[in-house]
Amino acid sequence: MNIMMNRIKWVVGASALTLASGAGAAGTGVQAEPDWTLPIHDNQVFGQVLFDRLEYQRDGNNEMALWDAQGWIGKDRNRLWVETEGETDLSSDSGDIENFDVQYSYRFDRFWDIQTGLGAQTTFGPSPNKERYSAIVGLQGLAPYWFEVDTNFRVTDDGDVSYDLEAEYDWLLTQRLILQGRGETLVAFSDVEEWGVGSGINNVGLGLRLRYHFSREFAPYVGVSYTRFLGNTEDLREREGKTSSPPASWRASGGGFNTIKP
């Protein structure tokens, strides 16, 4: 029977909201005059940089720094989109960039973008480093009932195929105090022992973050998250000496910002 790894961690940190900017829409609205010209869409360049998570974490004797950021530039429908996520073990100066994706994004619906491009994954630190590259086809947007979804199919340069999914949901307790639920998972279609990836569902991650918006650009938060590694992935981690964590571990984190450049 496979041994499953459970991790529960407390988190405090900061995140930011997505903002929007653009020109006023002439010819529309309740006060518009009939002879006003209608707005011309997709003729201005917008941009955004968003650090959704920027954290310092402590788990037992381990100190970690984690980031999850994205940025884009383009018009209403066509954009260049960059995303990156990773973590660093501050005690050993080692870590990994889980993804650094550069994609073309096309908005085919009011709330949905289809994306395609290239991604890189790499490790760093005193141990021998490794890297791999992948082609990506993804979908990002706002699902019914206000679930924010980010999902991707990846095919690496070695032909390994995987599927990842992240979803978030916000409960507005007040206009400034927001509770966010977050879930993620990764499904691999083959074993990749070098990267500690087993075929099947690799993990299930769940989390809650309670954030307060001091401004639209800055929102500190506290939270708790739970991660379980499953199946062949857990077996591979055991072989590498990554034993199961204690039932509960505590982590602290902080810092985040968002900027928009029209």
Side-chain angles (χ1 to χ4, degrees):
M1 179 181 294
N2 293 327
I3 302 174
M4 293 183 292
M5 174 181 291
N6 302 321
R7 296 191 302 169
I8 301 176
K9 55 190 178 185
W10 287 92
V11 173
V12 296
S15 63
L17 283 184
T18 302
L19 306 180
S21 62
T28 62
V30 295
Q31 296 182 344
E33 297 293 337
D35 59 344
W36 288 2
T37 59
L38 293 174
I40 300 175
H41 297 287
D42 205 26
N43 65 341
Q44 295 190 51
V45 175
F46 301 86
Q48 172 183 280
V49 176
L50 168 64
F51 283 82
D52 186 45
R53 293 184 295 160
L54 188 59
E55 303 176 355
Y56 165 82
Q57 304 179 342
R58 187 174 182 87
D59 181 2
N61 295 323
N62 299 321
E63 294 181 276
M64 306 290 294
L66 177 149
W67 72 89
D68 182 357
Q70 60 181 264
W72 57 262
I73 187 170
K75 298 184 178 181
D76 288 345
R77 292 186 179 272
N78 301 282
R79 298 170 178 176
L80 174 66
W81 204 290
V82 179
E83 293 187 41
T84 180
E85 183 176 356
E87 62 180 20
T88 302
D89 187 335
L90 300 177
S91 60
S92 63
D93 294 325
S94 62
D96 65 288
I97 300 175
E98 296 179 15
N99 65 279
F100 187 90
D101 303 335
V102 179
Q103 303 180 83
Y104 163 71
S105 182
Y106 176 74
R107 176 148 295 185
F108 66 92
D109 187 74
R110 288 179 298 173
F111 302 112
W112 289 98
D113 288 77
I114 188 169
Q115 300 171 328
T116 184
L118 299 175
Q121 182 180 5
T122 183
T123 63
F124 55 88
S127 302
N129 298 328
K130 52 191 177 183
E131 59 185 29
R132 63 176 178 173
Y133 301 91
S134 57
I136 310 166
V137 176
L139 193 65
Q140 184 172 138
L142 189 65
Y145 302 102
W146 302 95
F147 285 91
E148 294 184 23
V149 175
D150 186 359
T151 182
N152 300 281
F153 273 102
R154 300 174 186 268
V155 182
T156 70
D157 46 359
D158 292 325
D160 302 311
V161 181
S162 64
Y163 169 78
D164 58 78
L165 169 67
E166 293 183 7
E168 298 176 347
Y169 184 83
D170 287 350
W171 289 275
L172 274 68
L173 306 181
T174 71
Q175 290 297 316
R176 292 180 177 268
L177 188 64
I178 297 174
L179 180 66
Q180 182 185 75
R182 186 173 185 271
E184 61 181 348
T185 190
L186 171 69
V187 180
F189 295 88
S190 59
D191 292 329
V192 188
E193 294 189 14
E194 180 184 5
W195 290 90
V197 173
S199 59
I201 300 176
N202 277 223
N203 59 68
V204 174
L206 301 173
L208 282 174
R209 296 191 298 176
L210 181 66
R211 67 179 187 262
Y212 184 82
H213 290 227
F214 284 100
S215 69
R216 297 187 70 186
E217 295 82 16
F218 182 74
Y221 60 83
V222 295
V224 62
S225 64
Y226 170 83
T227 302
R228 169 173 287 181
F229 293 92
L230 304 171
N232 294 341
T233 299
E234 173 58 13
D235 293 340
L236 292 173
R237 293 177 66 88
E238 291 287 347
R239 293 177 200 169
E240 295 175 358
K242 298 179 180 178
T243 56
S244 297
S245 300
S249 54
W250 303 86
R251 292 193 173 185
S253 59
F257 64 90
N258 171 280
T259 58
I260 295 278
K261 294 183 179 180

